[in-house]
Amino acid sequence: MDAYLLIIALLSIVIVILGVSLLKWHAFISLTVASLFLAIFSGLSFDKIVSAYETGVGGVLGHLVGILALGTILGKMLSESGAGLKIANFFVNVFGEKKLPWAMFFSGFIIGIPVFFEVGILILLPLVISIQKATKKNILLIALPGIAGLSIVHGLVPPHPGAIAAIGIFDANLGTVLLYSLIIALPAGIIGGPLFAKWINKRVFPKGESSLITAEPIAQDKLPSTGVSFLSILLPVILMIIGTAAPYLTIFSEGVRNVLAFLGSPLLALLIAVFFAFYFLGIRQGMNKDSIKKFTEDCFLPVGSILLIIGAGGAFKQVLIDSGVGSTIGTMSQSLSLSPLVLAFIIAGLIRIATGSATVALTTAAGIVSPIIAGMSGVNVELLVIATGAGSLMFSHVNDAGFWMVKEYLGLTVEETFKTWTVLETVLSFVAFAGVLILDLIV
């Protein structure tokens, strides 16, 4: 029976992979079909199949909908107001031309905290191209560090959707994940960004031109101030860290600590940051209320797709649990003495390579590993979230939208994109995982 359940579970994962890559189904459809296949063939009764699906979707989306929507709105305000551009300009001025890779990395890292990878690229790339034309340097030296900063934050750091989904599935503490992920993401991004860019730009010389059509530039006098731009991005992070630290701030009364914890909850922290951005990046910069409302509504279409994928991933996880597959895999992995951190990293990496989606890889891998750790003690679930995120970054290739965005925006050939972007993503993945293992020994 155990062997049969494992075969059915494996086939369900194959359905996810083939659905996304070969049949070109939306990941939501693939995950839903895989969940139903697993539920039916593992012997779940029809009434339990429906309840398992609904429980799984509700469990992972219950705390996620508001966070993801608010994070996207904040990112939109940063993009439309020019705050992201202001931050990038600040780092370029501070570091100077000789240290441009470092300037671009920190720009990408900071800008990437509240915005999706794709939005971050659209904020950064016009600056990259203008710097490249002015300095005549290899575009890879300028662009790759910024892209590395965006990518590592997107893969590991909440409030990005994959990390938030894994936090929900593993029942991890968001504040602790945020703290650990920033500690791990910074050195991983430096190695995969500025250091890798300095090495690769002497070996790959792109012959093509960027196909990026730059939007109408915002005049410098219309940009928000540097301080307001930074505070808009960092405000939710600061509030969440305060919220995590609140129980330990014994100099305050219990009532004050409870208020700080409440204000530092992800939903409240992002809501406060969004209203801050509405005023200081919107109204103060001359936007009217109709423009701000339109920008807000523009955010909900991409969010809807991601929520569907994450919800279906939660359903897949619940079916794995209810069908008994999770406990079967758990028993086997315990007998193999395979660390859950290693297991999560490998599974996420394989699904990422097969489907091309970091979010699908993170969500599906978390769903597979979650039932395995249910009976284990001593598992650091916060580091497990980051290990899964690290696996979901590796070996981006032709089935990943990010691969084609980087190729077209930097004017690279497919071969050049493999040598640069694909290697960069894999370096980020393995260095971040090494960081997880080191932190696991310490904490």
Side-chain angles (χ1 to χ4, degrees):
M1 183 61 182
D2 284 357
Y4 172 76
L5 277 176
L6 289 175
I7 290 167
I8 294 301
L10 187 62
L11 288 174
S12 68
I13 295 167
V14 170
I15 287 170
V16 176
I17 293 167
L18 292 180
V20 172
S21 58
L22 189 65
L23 301 175
K24 304 300 179 187
W25 290 346
H26 189 277
F28 165 73
I29 300 290
S30 294
L31 283 163
T32 300
V33 170
S35 299
L36 293 173
F37 172 86
L38 175 60
I40 292 167
F41 283 93
S42 64
L44 274 184
S45 62
F46 290 122
D47 58 325
K48 286 185 178 176
I49 292 173
V50 175
S51 65
Y53 189 91
E54 290 174 352
T55 301
V57 172
V60 74
L61 289 185
H63 71 295
L64 174 61
V65 174
I67 295 172
L68 195 52
L70 291 169
T72 311
I73 294 165
L74 181 58
K76 182 73 171 174
M77 292 303 298
L78 289 163
S79 175
E80 295 293 342
S81 66
L85 196 61
K86 189 76 175 183
I87 288 167
N89 284 329
F90 170 81
F91 281 119
V92 169
N93 292 335
V94 166
F95 284 92
E97 189 177 311
K98 288 186 178 179
K99 294 182 178 176
L100 274 175
W102 294 92
M104 296 313 299
F105 168 70
F106 284 108
S107 299
F109 194 93
I110 297 293
I111 289 167
I113 289 172
V115 305
F116 289 159
F117 176 78
E118 293 82 357
V119 176
I121 281 188
L122 293 175
I123 294 172
L124 271 185
L125 262 293
L127 183 68
V128 166
I129 291 161
S130 62
I131 291 172
Q132 192 270 333
K133 286 178 179 175
T135 61
K136 307 300 181 188
K137 292 180 182 291
N138 187 334
I139 195 169
L140 298 176
L141 185 66
I142 305 163
L144 292 182
I147 291 170
L150 291 171
S151 180
I152 192 68
V153 171
H154 179 77
L156 303 188
V157 180
H160 285 281
I164 289 288
I167 287 166
I169 291 170
F170 288 132
D171 196 24
N173 180 282
L174 188 144
T176 308
V177 173
L178 177 62
L179 188 62
Y180 288 171
S181 64
L182 290 172
I183 291 168
I184 290 168
L186 201 57
I190 287 170
I191 293 169
L195 300 183
F196 173 68
K198 284 185 178 180
W199 182 82
I200 198 68
N201 96 103
K202 297 171 184 173
R203 292 161 175 80
V204 177
F205 304 95
K207 298 179 180 64
E209 289 285 325
S210 169
S211 64
L212 175 67
I213 301 170
T214 55
E216 196 67 33
I218 303 171
Q220 286 296 317
D221 60 341
K222 297 287 186 184
L223 292 175
S225 70
T226 303
V228 165
S229 301
F230 268 102
L231 189 54
S232 301
I233 287 179
L234 296 177
L235 182 59
V237 177
I238 293 166
L239 287 172
M240 281 189 264
I241 289 173
I242 291 171
T244 304
Y248 309 103
L249 300 176
T250 52
I251 56 170
F252 298 116
S253 67
E254 186 180 350
V256 172
R257 293 201 300 271
N258 289 339
V259 169
L260 290 175
F262 176 65
L263 294 176
S265 63
L267 191 69
L268 261 293
L270 281 164
L271 185 62
I272 291 166
V274 163
F275 277 110
F276 182 92
F278 279 166
Y279 180 73
F280 286 99
L281 301 184
I283 292 167
R284 276 270 297 266
Q285 296 306 118
M287 293 183 194
N288 58 39
K289 293 174 184 176
D290 288 335
S291 297
I292 293 172
K293 183 184 176 187
K294 180 182 180 299
F295 294 149
T296 302
E297 290 172 346
D298 287 346
C299 297
F300 295 143
L301 188 62
V303 169
S305 177
I306 290 166
L307 285 173
L308 285 171
I309 294 170
I310 292 170
F316 186 64
K317 174 211 76 168
Q318 194 62 43
V319 171
L320 278 164
I321 293 170
D322 290 359
S323 63
V325 173
S327 56
T328 300
I329 299 173
T331 304
M332 288 186 65
S333 65
Q334 282 177 319
S335 64
L336 291 171
S337 299
L338 196 60
S339 162
L341 295 174
V342 176
L343 193 66
F345 176 74
I346 292 170
I347 291 172
L350 292 174
I351 296 171
R352 157 70 163 188
I353 292 166
T355 67
S357 169
T359 304
V360 171
L362 224 168
T363 309
T364 308
I368 293 167
V369 176
S370 174
I372 296 172
I373 64 165
M376 292 185 181
S377 59
V379 178
N380 188 320
V381 288
E382 286 76 26
L383 287 177
L384 195 59
V385 170
I386 301 168
T388 315
S392 75
L393 287 174
M394 72 168 72
F395 205 77
S396 165
H397 59 100
V398 293
N399 61 358
D400 176 18
F403 179 95
W404 297 104
M405 283 188 78
V406 172
K407 175 191 177 298
E408 294 302 318
Y409 285 161
L410 299 188
L412 306 177
T413 64
V414 170
E415 183 185 354
E416 288 167 348
T417 313
F418 271 113
K419 288 179 178 177
T420 55
W421 163 251
T422 302
V423 175
L424 180 153
E425 284 284 88
T426 307
V427 169
L428 291 179
S429 173
F430 279 89
V431 175
F433 183 59
V436 168
L437 296 179
I438 292 166
L439 206 54
D440 189 47
L441 292 174
I442 298 169
V443 300

